[in-house]
Amino acid sequence: MTSMSARFLRLCAAGALAAAALLPSVTPAAASTLTLRVGTTQDLDAMNPWNTALEVGYEVFTLNYDLLVGFGPTLEPIPGYASSWTRQAAADGKSFTWTFKIRDGMKWSDGQPATAEDARWTLQFVLDAANGGNSIGLGYIDPDLKNAGVTKIAAPDPTTLVITNTDPSNRILQMYIPILPEHVWKGQTLKSIPTFTNDPPVVGTGPYQAVEWKTGQYVRLVRNPYYWGKRGAADEVVLQFFKNPDTMVQALKSGQIDYASGVNAAQFDNLKTVPGMVAVAGTTNGWTELDFNCYGKDIPGGGASTKALRDPAFRDALGYAIDKNLLISKVLGGYGTPGTTQVPPFQTRWHVEPDNPRTFDIGLAKQKLDAAGYVLNASGQRLDKQGKPLKLRLYMPNSDATYPKDAQFIKDWFSQLGIAITTQIFDSGTLTTLELPPTKDAPTQTAAWDMIIWGWTGYADPNPLLQIFTTGAIGSTSDSLYSNPTYDQLFTAQNAATTYDQRHQLMAQMQNIFYNDAPYHILYYPSTLDVHRTDKFGGWQNQPANGVPLFGYGSLDYTLLTDANAATPAPSVAVSAGPSASGGSASPAPVVPGGTSSGSPLPLVAGIAVVVALLVGVLLMTRRRRAATGEDDE
């Protein structure tokens, strides 16, 4: 035995003891119950799908609820709440009628009938909010309906849902909106949604239903007895929340959890050679950014500490003082790529590199600041145009151990420019509220911050990651509070584009505007580092092929898991023969005016699978966040 392996075994033993002490206490299951335990350092922020901003929240609500159409192994559309669908174009080719078939006899987890009327009620609630210029909850998922061009929804009978839309692509098949039971939610309003907790037991049509939630500890979900689809091997799923990746990895090593989401680079390198474990470095459809408060209005008692942050020239100059390659090496252990635009390279069909990329050059950053009117005083302090020394507040959530490390490097680099930086860490919920400006419904919000390190994760289509920089997103999903009328016009135009080339050209302009105006400096596109054991469950499948098994898109992967110790493990479901994902999305599928999609469900799904591998479309973005306590660093 080498000294290294002996040391590793001792660490495992110590880790097991520590994990036993720190593992959240979950209600014991029956001895015969096969439980999948998934570890994450994110702490669930809401059981109400409209109010979650975290990846773990999306993971939970897609286990509880079906989307109208699900996502397959390559992100192609597969049956969800609807079992099949057809499309008919109007004679003028300017609108489309989608007919979705809902399973006859499908039930909610409480035994009540799940019909087309439930889907109509859910989507009509979203459409009414959009038509009134309102958002639902945090406003993260409801824009899907508007971006799909939906204008009318009807349920002529319990198994038929008819939607009229104007969007020529298949984006309607990728709406990340949970279909909710009307008999549970019908009393809710736009005003009540933000405080509706949706406590367990949750009623849904998804494969599992949340029956227990202890904040900061775990969510326990049990099998939905009425689930219509293939059943995964796990009788229960427990998502366990850890304060840090160290205790999570200890629990993984000791077998107390089966899956660890978001380990760090050193842990990943250590675990990937351990027998019985599989380490997966997935390509991330998102980024980590340095975010500037660009809000263009004065806020009494709040707002940014200096008007310099409203100046693109100032923000641009700071970008030359960030060594992104060093951050990837020192903070990510090499698992990432330098960031540039708001469309990640994961979106291979849409990502473009900026025409005028910045390089790390502290001297050039100083020259640009001087040229823009931000000069040094006799004490070496950089002054804003009002003659005030620049002292910027840099905030971050406690959800990721890499953020404080990024902050320390940035603090050092910016200090070389004569700009003082103070840092502070908040829990995700507090920071989400802190960053928002005053609105009609929340006049006391102050947006009292200067810079934030945080991240976003996108979906199959880049639309959501483009949308958060539109003027209309200020007050909801926008955290830079950036506004550029030209950018807004381009967003609308690309959303209505009918060809890939047209949309690509418009999106390329948006990426260059974003990069040049610099409401963010995207620090890097990090890899997703997950590790799972193979002694209890088999059938692990990455979604898409260059992704990771869980925390992907929908609940599919949970239904594919098999019992590794069964005499004859159940075979994985053969979902689609669609092309394997190469790590990107494609163009929104232009629809031939007057064309009709019809026929049996399976051929239609298979056909659309081919299209969607070459298509883009969807919304959904979630913050990468976890838990923490505030701490100051001067």
Side-chain angles (χ1 to χ4, degrees), residues 323-490:
D323 188 344
K324 298 176 181 178
N325 287 311
L326 185 68
L327 292 177
I328 292 168
S329 173
K330 298 296 186 182
V331 177
L332 299 185
Y335 289 102
T337 55
T340 52
T341 81
Q342 76 278 41
V343 179
F346 179 92
Q347 305 278 357
T348 55
R349 296 266 294 175
W350 303 113
H351 174 80
V352 300
E353 284 297 298
D355 294 338
N356 300 296
R358 304 178 189 90
T359 55
F360 176 62
D361 188 333
I362 292 288
L364 183 56
K366 292 178 179 177
Q367 293 175 27
K368 286 183 172 291
L369 287 170
D370 291 340
Y374 303 98
V375 298
L376 295 173
N377 65 13
S379 301
Q381 295 173 307
R382 186 73 58 178
L383 306 178
D384 65 15
K385 293 183 179 178
Q386 287 69 46
K388 185 175 64 177
L390 286 160
K391 298 179 180 179
L392 303 182
R393 300 161 292 184
L394 174 56
Y395 297 160
M396 66 210 81
N398 58 1
S399 57
D400 194 314
T402 62
Y403 296 158
K405 297 176 182 176
D406 293 327
Q408 192 56 45
F409 281 104
I410 290 169
K411 182 177 181 180
D412 176 62
W413 290 324
F414 286 10
S415 71
Q416 296 179 48
L417 305 178
I419 299 173
I421 304 294
T422 58
T423 64
Q424 189 169 356
I425 299 173
F426 296 88
D427 67 82
S428 299
T430 299
L431 190 54
T432 297
T433 302
L434 188 153
E435 67 186 1
L436 292 170
T439 64
K440 180 180 64 177
D441 296 328
T444 60
Q445 293 174 159
T446 59
W449 57 278
D450 295 323
M451 302 185 294
I452 291 175
I453 296 176
W454 213 335
W456 287 92
T457 298
Y459 208 66
D461 187 272
N463 238 10
L465 296 180
L466 296 169
Q467 187 177 41
I468 60 177
F469 301 102
T470 60
T471 304
I474 293 176
S476 57
T477 56
S478 172
D479 55 3
S480 63
L481 314 181
Y482 167 74
S483 176
N484 182 321
T486 302
Y487 185 94
D488 295 345
Q489 293 167 7
L490 289 168

Side-chain angles (χ1 to χ4, degrees), residues 159-192:
T159 62
T160 306
L161 178 72
V162 180
I163 299 179
T164 304
N165 77 334
T166 58
D167 178 59
S169 78
N170 288 347
R171 198 173 286 126
I172 195 172
L173 301 179
Q174 301 179 339
M175 297 189 298
Y176 224 87
I177 298 173
I179 302 302
L180 304 172
E182 181 182 5
H183 66 283
V184 175
W185 286 76
K186 63 181 178 182
Q188 299 303 317
T189 65
L190 289 177
K191 190 173 182 179
S192 68

Side-chain angles (χ1 to χ4, degrees), residues 97-259:
T97 299
W98 290 82
T99 301
F100 294 88
K101 299 307 293 183
I102 310 301
R103 294 171 193 82
D104 188 15
M106 187 165 65
K107 293 182 178 180
W108 296 100
S109 55
D110 62 358
Q112 294 295 310
T115 70
E117 174 56 25
D118 292 289
R120 187 212 62 79
W121 180 88
T122 302
L123 300 179
Q124 189 66 51
F125 183 70
V126 179
L127 182 60
D128 290 345
N131 289 340
N134 298 306
S135 297
I136 303 176
L138 294 179
Y140 280 12
I141 52 180
D142 42 306
D144 283 20
L145 198 77
K146 182 179 179 181
N147 288 337
V150 173
T151 59
K152 185 179 179 182
I153 306 159
D157 62 60
T159 62
T160 306
L161 178 72
V162 180
I163 299 179
T164 304
N165 77 334
T166 58
D167 178 59
S169 78
N170 288 347
R171 198 173 286 126
I172 195 172
L173 301 179
Q174 301 179 339
M175 297 189 298
Y176 224 87
I177 298 173
I179 302 302
L180 304 172
E182 181 182 5
H183 66 283
V184 175
W185 286 76
K186 63 181 178 182
Q188 299 303 317
T189 65
L190 289 177
K191 190 173 182 179
S192 68
I193 286 285
T195 56
F196 179 53
T197 54
N198 195 32
D199 292 328
V202 172
V203 177
T205 56
Y208 295 92
Q209 309 304 146
V211 295
E212 188 179 10
W213 174 25
K214 290 189 179 298
T215 301
Q217 297 185 48
Y218 63 87
V219 168
R220 185 168 69 91
L221 303 100
V222 301
R223 192 190 299 283
N224 176 2
Y226 298 107
Y227 183 56
W228 51 269
K230 176 180 172 56
R231 297 185 172 198
D235 299 304
E236 293 190 355
V237 176
V238 176
L239 275 71
Q240 299 189 177
F241 314 132
F242 293 85
K243 298 296 184 185
N244 60 70
D246 291 337
T247 52
M248 179 173 66
V249 167
Q250 290 165 14
L252 181 71
K253 289 177 178 177
S254 65
Q256 295 182 70
I257 62 174
D258 307 294
Y259 190 99

